[in-house]
Amino acid sequence: QVQLVESGGGLVQPGGSLRLSCAASGFSFSSYVMRWYRQAPGKERELVATFTGAGSMLKYADSVKGRFTISRDNAKNTVYLQMNSLKPEDTAVYYCNALGPLEYWGQGTQVTVSS
């Protein structure tokens, strides 16, 4: 059974940090491209960060470059999103995504940036 389970969301003040985790199971994690998306109320889902499997290429949305860092631990089947200097506009539900022969989604974790 394939599972992507996100954790680490919550309420944080502007300028603060959060680290999201996504624990994967049920598929060949190391061969999949792992991505983080987010969706704010009333907006389309946005691709935030990508970490390829082979080649270890990293890509970020312009809106988070220099503030967010994606990483992965293939031994733990986990992908992370370190979010620093958070802004109110980063408020969204954050989703973990695995892209390979098939595509899988997590259930999402809420991140709220507010004073």
Side-chain angles (χ1 to χ4, degrees):
Q1 181 182 0
V2 172
Q3 282 192 310
L4 292 174
V5 180
E6 301 100 333
S7 60
L11 173 64
V12 64
Q13 292 187 344
S17 298
L18 283 175
R19 188 194 195 203
L20 305 183
S21 299
C22 173
S25 61
F27 64 97
S28 181
F29 178 82
S30 62
S31 64
Y32 273 65
V33 174
M34 297 303 298
R35 303 185 291 188
W36 286 97
Y37 282 78
R38 67 184 181 187
Q39 189 166 20
K43 295 189 176 181
E44 293 187 355
R45 194 167 292 191
E46 174 190 21
L47 176 59
V48 174
T50 301
F51 197 133
T52 63
S56 298
M57 289 181 61
L58 309 182
K59 297 180 181 179
Y60 298 95
D62 288 342
S63 57
V64 306
K65 278 181 182 176
R67 299 188 299 120
F68 289 12
T69 302
I70 187 171
S71 61
R72 65 190 294 166
D73 185 337
N74 288 340
K76 295 183 178 180
N77 286 357
T78 301
V79 62
Y80 305 96
L81 187 66
Q82 177 67 44
M83 305 186 295
N84 299 328
S85 302
L86 283 161
K87 305 175 180 180
E89 51 264 43
D90 294 319
T91 295
V93 178
Y94 284 72
Y95 297 91
C96 177
N97 171 271
L99 182 63
L102 298 174
E103 186 173 19
Y104 307 114
W105 290 91
Q107 82 288 350
T109 185
Q110 176 70 47
V111 172
T112 302
V113 185
S114 175
S115 55

